[in-house]
Amino acid sequence: MKLEKLGAVNLIWFLISLFLMFWLGHQLFGAIQTQEIQNLRVTDTVSLSNTPIWFAVVYLVKFLAWLISVGVAVLYIKRRAKVT
């Protein structure tokens, strides 16, 4: 039996996107408040006052990932609403 027939793959993507939506949303909101954001691959933070261009790049990458995760969650909810 394939996982796609069970809908488990779609559910897993929905749960991952739901987690990313809240986690990245928290980081983006915190970046607006403190003007610092966690870097992409390391555990340090990027400050707007020290490196504004890299801060903007990191913010935009995380914002695009947040938009994609919101889109995946919305599409999953719309598909599930049509089925039932």
Side-chain angles (χ1 to χ4, degrees):
M1 197 178 250
K2 291 186 177 182
L3 287 176
E4 292 175 1
K5 289 184 181 179
L6 297 174
V9 173
N10 289 336
L11 179 63
I12 290 171
W13 278 113
F14 172 70
L15 293 175
I16 290 170
S17 69
L18 196 65
F19 168 75
L20 285 174
M21 187 172 64
F22 286 110
W23 181 59
L24 289 173
H26 179 294
Q27 284 193 6
L28 294 171
F29 185 68
I32 292 170
Q33 288 181 330
T34 63
Q35 296 181 349
E36 288 185 344
I37 193 166
Q38 187 177 2
N39 208 348
L40 292 176
R41 291 199 46 172
V42 292
T43 57
D44 64 342
T45 57
V46 179
S47 175
L48 179 64
S49 61
N50 292 342
T51 53
I53 294 174
W54 185 244
F55 177 86
V57 168
V58 171
Y59 192 88
L60 287 175
V61 167
K62 289 188 178 194
F63 184 70
L64 289 174
W66 181 78
L67 283 177
I68 290 171
S69 65
V70 168
V72 168
V74 167
L75 284 176
Y76 179 80
I77 292 170
K78 281 185 177 180
R79 286 183 186 163
R80 293 300 287 180
K82 285 183 181 179
V83 172
T84 57

